[in-house]
Amino acid sequence: MSLTSEEQAQLIQNRNQGLQNLGQLVVNGQIIYKIDQIAMIHHHGTHLFSVFRRYNSVYEIVIEDCHGDTFFHKDYTLKESLQRLLCLSDTEKMYLINVHEFTKNAPYDHNVLEMRWSEVHRLLNGAYVNIGLVDDQEESSFSNRYRCKRECCYEDPEEESDEVLEEEEEEEEEEEEEEEEEENQHSSWCPHSKKRRVEEISESEEEESEEEEQPVKYKILRNGKKIAVK
């Protein structure tokens, strides 16, 4: 169900208000709000996270995912934070595709993955970071599958394989039903149909068994001889 323009505006307003509240500070008895966006993280051009910095907690890094859910990190390196968020295994590696700094609004050629969030903020005033992921064991890149609980981001491969097996079984059952239906249609008119021959044989056997089961009547002649009567 699509949202109306008013509902979308309300969602954006609530999101902005929530971020502002996270940056609330009390300075000399006065309440102020201070939170800065310091990074945008993409995977092969697909948006993953927006990263903010606040100044009222040791968990100063606020990371918002593509659904608006927020996570709080200390001043880790970018690599460490993203490994935690993406739940990377030992064989899954992260590499940089490109970086664009906010200060000069230009490409940045250094490895920001080894920098801390505060360094990215101080040196670049923030950055657009586009990353890629690769599995050393499979020797092939794999698609974005940020592991949140939402189905649109992550699908369990075991569940996916079970769904494939169920679909294959359903297709096999449909094929068997179609073959059986075709055989029934064919047997209804074809005298050489195996099914029709089996039915005819069973019908003849039933008739013979019925004839055998009928009681035999006898007639006694004058000379005392007994004969069967049909």
Side-chain angles (χ1 to χ4, degrees), residues 7-227:
E7 290 173 335
Q8 290 177 349
Q10 185 63 44
L11 285 175
I12 293 172
Q13 184 179 353
N14 292 341
R15 177 256 188 187
N16 293 338
Q17 185 63 46
L19 286 173
Q20 186 181 33
N21 292 339
L22 289 174
Q24 179 177 303
L25 282 170
V26 179
V27 179
N28 196 25
Q30 183 177 357
I31 296 176
I32 64 171
Y33 299 93
K34 175 69 173 174
I35 188 167
D36 299 321
Q37 183 167 7
I38 60 174
M40 296 183 295
I41 308 299
H42 286 65
H43 174 265
H44 285 286
T46 301
H47 175 71
L48 285 183
F49 306 108
S50 296
V51 185
F52 303 86
R53 187 183 184 189
R54 60 179 178 170
Y55 308 92
N56 57 359
S57 173
V58 292
Y59 292 93
E60 56 185 303
I61 305 304
V62 179
I63 302 174
E64 180 188 54
D65 70 4
C66 51
H67 304 292
D69 297 330
T70 52
F71 307 86
F72 304 96
H73 284 194
K74 292 183 178 180
D75 189 18
Y76 304 130
T77 63
L78 274 69
K79 182 178 181 180
E80 187 177 358
S81 273
L82 294 176
Q83 283 177 334
R84 290 169 181 260
L85 291 167
L86 297 171
C87 305
L88 299 184
S89 67
D90 295 335
T91 62
E92 295 170 351
K93 306 298 180 183
M94 188 188 320
Y95 62 91
L96 277 175
I97 297 176
N98 64 292
V99 179
H100 201 91
E101 62 171 300
F102 289 0
T103 300
K104 297 180 181 179
N105 194 16
Y108 186 72
D109 297 330
H110 299 282
N111 184 10
V112 296
L113 292 178
E114 301 300 334
M115 297 169 62
R116 295 187 181 275
W117 292 111
S118 59
E119 292 178 305
V120 172
H121 188 199
R122 176 170 54 85
L123 298 175
L124 308 178
N125 201 30
Y128 164 92
V129 182
N130 193 19
I131 63 170
L133 301 172
V134 66
D135 194 319
D136 287 348
Q137 289 184 346
E138 297 180 359
E139 296 182 354
S140 62
S141 60
F142 51 89
S143 61
N144 167 29
R145 43 111 180 95
Y146 163 55
R147 295 174 182 175
C148 70
K149 296 180 180 180
R150 302 176 191 251
E151 295 179 357
C152 59
C153 279
Y154 174 65
E155 294 182 359
D156 189 344
E158 294 182 358
E159 292 181 358
E160 188 175 355
S161 61
D162 291 340
E163 291 178 359
V164 172
L165 289 174
E166 290 177 359
E167 290 178 359
E168 291 178 352
E169 290 176 357
E170 289 177 359
E171 290 178 358
E172 290 178 357
E173 291 177 358
E174 289 177 358
E175 290 177 358
E176 290 176 358
E177 290 176 358
E178 290 177 358
E179 291 177 358
E180 186 177 352
E181 186 176 353
E182 290 177 358
E183 178 65 25
N184 291 335
Q185 293 176 353
H186 180 69
S187 62
S188 64
W189 61 267
C190 179
H192 303 292
S193 168
K194 181 179 178 181
K195 185 173 182 179
R196 180 165 182 173
R197 292 201 304 273
V198 172
E199 290 176 352
E200 290 176 352
I201 292 172
S202 61
E203 287 176 0
S204 61
E205 289 177 351
E206 288 177 0
E207 290 176 358
E208 290 177 0
S209 62
E210 288 176 0
E211 290 177 359
E212 291 175 357
E213 291 176 357
Q214 290 179 358
V216 181
K217 296 180 181 180
Y218 296 94
K219 182 177 181 181
I220 301 175
L221 302 178
R222 290 179 181 181
N223 57 8
K225 187 176 180 180
K226 185 168 67 172
I227 60 173

